[in-house]
Amino acid sequence: MAGRLLDSQGKLIPQHPVTFYHQETPNQRWQDVTTYPSSEVNSDEEWGENFVIGDVPVGDYLVKTHVNGHLYTAEVSVREGATSFVIIEGR
């Protein structure tokens, strides 16, 4: 699974926590990642992602993060043999 965490101006948010939950247990944290630092890690030119998580089992997930005191949640489905992509944009 890959994704993009953006601020209200559409810019990537570096070094920010993102938490994954199975959709059927939305209050039980499954995995945590941190978005890429503003330097050191480069996004794929086509994907433009700033976070990834590998070996995600097939299923439906919620991706949650707090940006400027607001909780943002996105739904994403993972299917066999495919890369799922999610975008979370602060407002």
Side-chain angles (χ1 to χ4, degrees):
M1 185 184 311
R4 210 179 289 146
L5 176 59
L6 306 168
D7 65 17
S8 59
Q9 286 81 41
K11 295 179 183 175
L12 297 173
I13 300 174
Q15 294 183 287
H16 196 85
V18 177
T19 305
F20 294 82
Y21 301 79
H22 291 282
Q23 202 165 52
E24 57 273 358
T25 54
N27 295 316
Q28 183 178 342
R29 184 175 65 217
W30 177 67
Q31 293 282 344
D32 295 306
V33 300
T34 301
T35 59
Y36 303 161
S38 55
S39 60
E40 301 174 26
V41 180
N42 295 318
S43 299
D44 180 84
E45 288 183 23
E46 289 185 36
W47 290 92
E49 86 290 344
N50 68 340
F51 66 88
V52 296
I53 183 170
D55 298 322
V56 178
V58 169
D60 296 317
Y61 295 85
L62 297 174
V63 184
K64 299 181 184 182
T65 190
H66 285 86
V67 177
N68 296 325
H70 298 281
L71 174 64
Y72 293 92
T73 303
E75 296 179 8
V76 61
S77 294
V78 173
R79 301 294 172 240
E80 186 70 37
T83 300
S84 298
F85 197 85
V86 62
I87 297 173
I88 302 170
E89 188 168 3
R91 295 189 178 118

